[in-house]
mmCIF file of all heavy atoms in Angstrom:
data_model
loop_
_atom_site.group_PDB
_atom_site.id
_atom_site.type_symbol
_atom_site.label_atom_id
_atom_site.label_comp_id
_atom_site.label_asym_id
_atom_site.label_seq_id
_atom_site.Cartn_x
_atom_site.Cartn_y
_atom_site.Cartn_z
ATOM 1 N N PRO A 286 -8.381 32.529 -41.320
ATOM 2 C CA PRO A 286 -7.640 31.290 -41.610
ATOM 3 C C PRO A 286 -6.431 31.073 -40.694
ATOM 4 O O PRO A 286 -6.113 29.926 -40.349
ATOM 5 C CB PRO A 286 -7.203 31.488 -43.069
ATOM 6 C CG PRO A 286 -8.204 32.431 -43.644
ATOM 7 C CD PRO A 286 -8.539 33.371 -42.527
ATOM 8 N N LEU A 287 -5.774 32.154 -40.285
ATOM 9 C CA LEU A 287 -4.647 32.012 -39.356
ATOM 10 C C LEU A 287 -5.136 31.525 -37.992
ATOM 11 O O LEU A 287 -4.484 30.706 -37.339
ATOM 12 C CB LEU A 287 -3.936 33.360 -39.172
ATOM 13 C CG LEU A 287 -3.184 33.939 -40.352
ATOM 14 C CD1 LEU A 287 -2.623 35.313 -39.990
ATOM 15 C CD2 LEU A 287 -2.052 33.013 -40.772
ATOM 16 N N ILE A 288 -6.271 32.042 -37.573
ATOM 17 C CA ILE A 288 -6.866 31.650 -36.299
ATOM 18 C C ILE A 288 -7.178 30.158 -36.300
ATOM 19 O O ILE A 288 -6.893 29.429 -35.335
ATOM 20 C CB ILE A 288 -8.156 32.466 -36.052
ATOM 21 C CG1 ILE A 288 -7.816 33.933 -35.813
ATOM 22 C CG2 ILE A 288 -8.961 31.896 -34.911
ATOM 23 C CD1 ILE A 288 -6.957 34.187 -34.606
ATOM 24 N N ILE A 289 -7.766 29.689 -37.383
ATOM 25 C CA ILE A 289 -8.119 28.270 -37.496
ATOM 26 C C ILE A 289 -6.854 27.412 -37.509
ATOM 27 O O ILE A 289 -6.785 26.380 -36.832
ATOM 28 C CB ILE A 289 -8.959 28.039 -38.767
ATOM 29 C CG1 ILE A 289 -10.301 28.782 -38.639
ATOM 30 C CG2 ILE A 289 -9.199 26.547 -38.998
ATOM 31 C CD1 ILE A 289 -11.086 28.871 -39.924
ATOM 32 N N LYS A 290 -5.847 27.844 -38.243
ATOM 33 C CA LYS A 290 -4.593 27.094 -38.324
ATOM 34 C C LYS A 290 -3.932 26.983 -36.958
ATOM 35 O O LYS A 290 -3.430 25.915 -36.574
ATOM 36 C CB LYS A 290 -3.650 27.777 -39.309
ATOM 37 C CG LYS A 290 -2.257 27.164 -39.405
ATOM 38 C CD LYS A 290 -1.434 27.870 -40.473
ATOM 39 C CE LYS A 290 -0.003 27.372 -40.509
ATOM 40 N NZ LYS A 290 0.793 27.840 -39.363
ATOM 41 N N GLU A 291 -3.920 28.081 -36.204
ATOM 42 C CA GLU A 291 -3.252 28.094 -34.905
ATOM 43 C C GLU A 291 -4.175 27.672 -33.759
ATOM 44 O O GLU A 291 -3.727 27.564 -32.623
ATOM 45 C CB GLU A 291 -2.696 29.499 -34.619
ATOM 46 C CG GLU A 291 -1.610 29.943 -35.564
ATOM 47 C CD GLU A 291 -0.362 29.072 -35.481
ATOM 48 O OE1 GLU A 291 -0.044 28.595 -34.368
ATOM 49 O OE2 GLU A 291 0.279 28.861 -36.533
ATOM 50 N N ARG A 292 -5.454 27.455 -34.062
ATOM 51 C CA ARG A 292 -6.432 27.008 -33.058
ATOM 52 C C ARG A 292 -6.411 27.903 -31.821
ATOM 53 O O ARG A 292 -6.340 27.435 -30.687
ATOM 54 C CB ARG A 292 -6.157 25.552 -32.668
ATOM 55 C CG ARG A 292 -6.245 24.589 -33.833
ATOM 56 C CD ARG A 292 -5.942 23.171 -33.442
ATOM 57 N NE ARG A 292 -6.049 22.267 -34.569
ATOM 58 C CZ ARG A 292 -5.826 20.948 -34.505
ATOM 59 N NH1 ARG A 292 -5.493 20.399 -33.353
ATOM 60 N NH2 ARG A 292 -5.941 20.199 -35.587
ATOM 61 N N THR A 293 -6.509 29.201 -32.075
ATOM 62 C CA THR A 293 -6.388 30.203 -31.018
ATOM 63 C C THR A 293 -7.652 31.048 -30.956
ATOM 64 O O THR A 293 -8.164 31.472 -31.994
ATOM 65 C CB THR A 293 -5.170 31.108 -31.289
ATOM 66 O OG1 THR A 293 -3.986 30.305 -31.340
ATOM 67 C CG2 THR A 293 -5.015 32.170 -30.208
ATOM 68 N N PRO A 294 -8.181 31.316 -29.775
ATOM 69 C CA PRO A 294 -9.372 32.179 -29.678
ATOM 70 C C PRO A 294 -9.122 33.555 -30.295
ATOM 71 O O PRO A 294 -8.053 34.145 -30.103
ATOM 72 C CB PRO A 294 -9.607 32.295 -28.172
ATOM 73 C CG PRO A 294 -8.964 31.086 -27.584
ATOM 74 C CD PRO A 294 -7.771 30.800 -28.448
ATOM 75 N N TYR A 295 -10.131 34.043 -31.020
ATOM 76 C CA TYR A 295 -10.071 35.357 -31.663
ATOM 77 C C TYR A 295 -11.289 36.137 -31.202
ATOM 78 O O TYR A 295 -12.422 35.740 -31.462
ATOM 79 C CB TYR A 295 -10.080 35.169 -33.185
ATOM 80 C CG TYR A 295 -9.979 36.429 -34.024
ATOM 81 C CD1 TYR A 295 -9.320 37.578 -33.579
ATOM 82 C CD2 TYR A 295 -10.530 36.462 -35.316
ATOM 83 C CE1 TYR A 295 -9.219 38.708 -34.380
ATOM 84 C CE2 TYR A 295 -10.423 37.591 -36.121
ATOM 85 C CZ TYR A 295 -9.780 38.702 -35.654
ATOM 86 O OH TYR A 295 -9.672 39.825 -36.450
ATOM 87 N N VAL A 296 -11.057 37.245 -30.514
ATOM 88 C CA VAL A 296 -12.141 38.072 -29.982
ATOM 89 C C VAL A 296 -12.230 39.336 -30.827
ATOM 90 O O VAL A 296 -11.361 40.214 -30.739
ATOM 91 C CB VAL A 296 -11.905 38.424 -28.503
ATOM 92 C CG1 VAL A 296 -13.071 39.252 -27.961
ATOM 93 C CG2 VAL A 296 -11.719 37.159 -27.671
ATOM 94 N N ILE A 297 -13.254 39.434 -31.660
ATOM 95 C CA ILE A 297 -13.436 40.623 -32.493
ATOM 96 C C ILE A 297 -13.906 41.745 -31.573
ATOM 97 O O ILE A 297 -14.991 41.690 -31.005
ATOM 98 C CB ILE A 297 -14.430 40.366 -33.625
ATOM 99 C CG1 ILE A 297 -13.900 39.238 -34.527
ATOM 100 C CG2 ILE A 297 -14.654 41.636 -34.443
ATOM 101 C CD1 ILE A 297 -14.878 38.782 -35.580
ATOM 102 N N THR A 298 -13.083 42.761 -31.466
ATOM 103 C CA THR A 298 -13.230 43.782 -30.431
ATOM 104 C C THR A 298 -13.994 45.006 -30.901
ATOM 105 O O THR A 298 -14.692 45.645 -30.109
ATOM 106 C CB THR A 298 -11.830 44.198 -29.940
ATOM 107 O OG1 THR A 298 -11.120 43.023 -29.532
ATOM 108 C CG2 THR A 298 -11.885 45.173 -28.786
ATOM 109 N N VAL A 299 -13.876 45.367 -32.176
ATOM 110 C CA VAL A 299 -14.493 46.603 -32.675
ATOM 111 C C VAL A 299 -15.326 46.368 -33.939
ATOM 112 O O VAL A 299 -16.365 46.981 -34.117
ATOM 113 C CB VAL A 299 -13.416 47.680 -32.949
ATOM 114 C CG1 VAL A 299 -14.051 48.956 -33.491
ATOM 115 C CG2 VAL A 299 -12.612 47.984 -31.684
ATOM 116 N N GLY A 300 -14.898 45.494 -34.814
ATOM 117 C CA GLY A 300 -15.531 45.337 -36.114
ATOM 118 C C GLY A 300 -16.896 44.693 -36.067
ATOM 119 O O GLY A 300 -17.249 43.985 -35.114
ATOM 120 N N GLY A 301 -17.695 44.908 -37.161
ATOM 121 C CA GLY A 301 -19.069 44.417 -37.185
ATOM 122 C C GLY A 301 -19.452 43.602 -38.393
ATOM 123 O O GLY A 301 -20.633 43.292 -38.567
ATOM 124 N N GLY A 302 -18.481 43.229 -39.252
ATOM 125 C CA GLY A 302 -18.810 42.456 -40.453
ATOM 126 C C GLY A 302 -19.557 41.177 -40.106
ATOM 127 O O GLY A 302 -19.072 40.356 -39.332
ATOM 128 N N SER A 303 -20.735 40.991 -40.673
ATOM 129 C CA SER A 303 -21.626 39.914 -40.230
ATOM 130 C C SER A 303 -21.202 38.524 -40.686
ATOM 131 O O SER A 303 -21.508 37.530 -40.014
ATOM 132 C CB SER A 303 -23.049 40.194 -40.722
ATOM 133 O OG SER A 303 -23.074 40.272 -42.137
ATOM 134 N N GLU A 304 -20.513 38.416 -41.811
ATOM 135 C CA GLU A 304 -20.216 37.094 -42.377
ATOM 136 C C GLU A 304 -19.382 36.220 -41.447
ATOM 137 O O GLU A 304 -19.490 34.997 -41.472
ATOM 138 C CB GLU A 304 -19.485 37.251 -43.724
ATOM 139 C CG GLU A 304 -20.314 37.855 -44.828
ATOM 140 C CD GLU A 304 -21.478 36.977 -45.253
ATOM 141 O OE1 GLU A 304 -21.370 35.740 -45.101
ATOM 142 O OE2 GLU A 304 -22.494 37.527 -45.709
ATOM 143 N N ILE A 305 -18.567 36.827 -40.596
ATOM 144 C CA ILE A 305 -17.654 36.050 -39.757
ATOM 145 C C ILE A 305 -18.403 35.192 -38.737
ATOM 146 O O ILE A 305 -17.867 34.212 -38.223
ATOM 147 C CB ILE A 305 -16.622 36.968 -39.052
ATOM 148 C CG1 ILE A 305 -15.432 36.156 -38.517
ATOM 149 C CG2 ILE A 305 -17.275 37.780 -37.945
ATOM 150 C CD1 ILE A 305 -14.587 35.505 -39.559
ATOM 151 N N THR A 306 -19.673 35.541 -38.447
ATOM 152 C CA THR A 306 -20.450 34.725 -37.512
ATOM 153 C C THR A 306 -21.626 34.032 -38.203
ATOM 154 O O THR A 306 -22.516 33.497 -37.535
ATOM 155 C CB THR A 306 -20.958 35.579 -36.330
ATOM 156 O OG1 THR A 306 -21.564 36.776 -36.831
ATOM 157 C CG2 THR A 306 -19.807 35.959 -35.405
ATOM 158 N N ARG A 307 -21.623 34.020 -39.529
ATOM 159 C CA ARG A 307 -22.600 33.260 -40.296
ATOM 160 C C ARG A 307 -21.978 31.948 -40.761
ATOM 161 O O ARG A 307 -20.750 31.803 -40.727
ATOM 162 C CB ARG A 307 -23.084 34.080 -41.498
ATOM 163 C CG ARG A 307 -23.957 35.270 -41.121
ATOM 164 C CD ARG A 307 -24.368 36.061 -42.343
ATOM 165 N NE ARG A 307 -25.214 37.208 -42.000
ATOM 166 C CZ ARG A 307 -25.593 38.126 -42.874
ATOM 167 N NH1 ARG A 307 -25.220 38.034 -44.160
ATOM 168 N NH2 ARG A 307 -26.340 39.143 -42.489
ATOM 169 N N PRO A 308 -22.778 30.975 -41.209
ATOM 170 C CA PRO A 308 -22.244 29.646 -41.517
ATOM 171 C C PRO A 308 -21.065 29.620 -42.479
ATOM 172 O O PRO A 308 -20.145 28.810 -42.324
ATOM 173 C CB PRO A 308 -23.459 28.927 -42.110
ATOM 174 C CG PRO A 308 -24.626 29.559 -41.428
ATOM 175 C CD PRO A 308 -24.254 31.010 -41.291
ATOM 176 N N GLY A 309 -21.033 30.504 -43.475
ATOM 177 C CA GLY A 309 -19.969 30.458 -44.466
ATOM 178 C C GLY A 309 -18.576 30.701 -43.915
ATOM 179 O O GLY A 309 -17.602 30.078 -44.349
ATOM 180 N N LYS A 310 -18.439 31.619 -42.964
ATOM 181 C CA LYS A 310 -17.134 31.965 -42.408
ATOM 182 C C LYS A 310 -17.026 31.674 -40.913
ATOM 183 O O LYS A 310 -15.977 31.865 -40.319
ATOM 184 C CB LYS A 310 -16.824 33.449 -42.661
ATOM 185 C CG LYS A 310 -16.475 33.780 -44.102
ATOM 186 C CD LYS A 310 -16.026 35.233 -44.225
ATOM 187 C CE LYS A 310 -15.397 35.521 -45.579
ATOM 188 N NZ LYS A 310 -16.327 35.373 -46.698
ATOM 189 N N ARG A 311 -18.085 31.228 -40.310
ATOM 190 C CA ARG A 311 -18.087 30.951 -38.870
ATOM 191 C C ARG A 311 -17.066 29.869 -38.535
ATOM 192 O O ARG A 311 -16.903 28.902 -39.274
ATOM 193 C CB ARG A 311 -19.491 30.500 -38.465
ATOM 194 C CG ARG A 311 -19.698 30.263 -36.989
ATOM 195 C CD ARG A 311 -21.083 29.669 -36.749
ATOM 196 N NE ARG A 311 -22.154 30.530 -37.231
ATOM 197 C CZ ARG A 311 -23.401 30.119 -37.409
ATOM 198 N NH1 ARG A 311 -23.741 28.860 -37.200
ATOM 199 N NH2 ARG A 311 -24.322 30.978 -37.835
ATOM 200 N N ASN A 312 -16.372 30.040 -37.423
ATOM 201 C CA ASN A 312 -15.472 28.987 -36.941
ATOM 202 C C ASN A 312 -15.509 28.960 -35.423
ATOM 203 O O ASN A 312 -15.922 29.932 -34.786
ATOM 204 C CB ASN A 312 -14.042 29.183 -37.471
ATOM 205 C CG ASN A 312 -13.385 30.424 -36.916
ATOM 206 O OD1 ASN A 312 -12.909 30.455 -35.774
ATOM 207 N ND2 ASN A 312 -13.346 31.495 -37.719
ATOM 208 N N LYS A 313 -15.086 27.864 -34.847
ATOM 209 C CA LYS A 313 -15.268 27.668 -33.409
ATOM 210 C C LYS A 313 -14.302 28.472 -32.555
ATOM 211 O O LYS A 313 -14.426 28.487 -31.335
ATOM 212 C CB LYS A 313 -15.155 26.189 -33.053
ATOM 213 C CG LYS A 313 -13.792 25.561 -33.318
ATOM 214 C CD LYS A 313 -13.831 24.073 -32.947
ATOM 215 C CE LYS A 313 -12.505 23.401 -33.197
ATOM 216 N NZ LYS A 313 -12.546 21.967 -32.799
ATOM 217 N N TYR A 314 -13.336 29.134 -33.181
ATOM 218 C CA TYR A 314 -12.350 29.908 -32.419
ATOM 219 C C TYR A 314 -12.693 31.398 -32.348
ATOM 220 O O TYR A 314 -12.116 32.125 -31.540
ATOM 221 C CB TYR A 314 -10.956 29.742 -33.031
ATOM 222 C CG TYR A 314 -10.532 28.298 -33.151
ATOM 223 C CD1 TYR A 314 -10.573 27.641 -34.376
ATOM 224 C CD2 TYR A 314 -10.138 27.578 -32.029
ATOM 225 C CE1 TYR A 314 -10.206 26.307 -34.484
ATOM 226 C CE2 TYR A 314 -9.775 26.243 -32.133
ATOM 227 C CZ TYR A 314 -9.816 25.619 -33.366
ATOM 228 O OH TYR A 314 -9.468 24.291 -33.463
ATOM 229 N N THR A 315 -13.607 31.853 -33.200
ATOM 230 C CA THR A 315 -13.898 33.286 -33.307
ATOM 231 C C THR A 315 -15.200 33.651 -32.607
ATOM 232 O O THR A 315 -16.240 33.028 -32.837
ATOM 233 C CB THR A 315 -13.982 33.703 -34.785
ATOM 234 O OG1 THR A 315 -12.719 33.451 -35.418
ATOM 235 C CG2 THR A 315 -14.310 35.184 -34.919
ATOM 236 N N VAL A 316 -15.123 34.667 -31.757
ATOM 237 C CA VAL A 316 -16.310 35.242 -31.120
ATOM 238 C C VAL A 316 -16.247 36.753 -31.283
ATOM 239 O O VAL A 316 -15.204 37.313 -31.607
ATOM 240 C CB VAL A 316 -16.410 34.866 -29.620
ATOM 241 C CG1 VAL A 316 -16.530 33.361 -29.441
ATOM 242 C CG2 VAL A 316 -15.226 35.406 -28.837
ATOM 243 N N ARG A 317 -17.384 37.389 -31.027
ATOM 244 C CA ARG A 317 -17.427 38.838 -31.169
ATOM 245 C C ARG A 317 -18.012 39.454 -29.897
ATOM 246 O O ARG A 317 -19.011 38.967 -29.367
ATOM 247 C CB ARG A 317 -18.278 39.231 -32.375
ATOM 248 C CG ARG A 317 -18.289 40.732 -32.583
ATOM 249 C CD ARG A 317 -19.204 41.247 -33.678
ATOM 250 N NE ARG A 317 -19.843 40.325 -34.542
ATOM 251 C CZ ARG A 317 -19.638 40.248 -35.869
ATOM 252 N NH1 ARG A 317 -18.756 41.029 -36.453
ATOM 253 N NH2 ARG A 317 -20.321 39.390 -36.610
ATOM 254 N N THR A 318 -17.385 40.552 -29.437
ATOM 255 C CA THR A 318 -17.915 41.283 -28.283
ATOM 256 C C THR A 318 -18.312 42.715 -28.637
ATOM 257 O O THR A 318 -18.706 43.475 -27.761
ATOM 258 C CB THR A 318 -16.880 41.324 -27.140
ATOM 259 O OG1 THR A 318 -15.660 41.913 -27.623
ATOM 260 C CG2 THR A 318 -16.585 39.924 -26.608
ATOM 261 N N SER A 319 -18.197 43.089 -29.894
ATOM 262 C CA SER A 319 -18.468 44.476 -30.309
ATOM 263 C C SER A 319 -19.921 44.637 -30.756
ATOM 264 O O SER A 319 -20.788 44.971 -29.955
ATOM 265 C CB SER A 319 -17.498 44.899 -31.410
ATOM 266 O OG SER A 319 -17.465 43.931 -32.462
#
Side-chain angles (χ1 to χ4, degrees):
L287 292 177
I288 292 298
I289 295 168
K290 175 177 175 287
E291 295 297 326
R292 300 179 179 180
T293 301
Y295 182 29
V296 182
I297 299 173
T298 306
V299 179
S303 60
E304 293 294 333
I305 197 65
T306 49
R307 290 178 180 173
K310 287 187 168 64
R311 184 186 301 164
N312 67 78
K313 64 181 180 179
Y314 305 103
T315 299
V316 298
R317 183 185 352 243
T318 57
S319 50

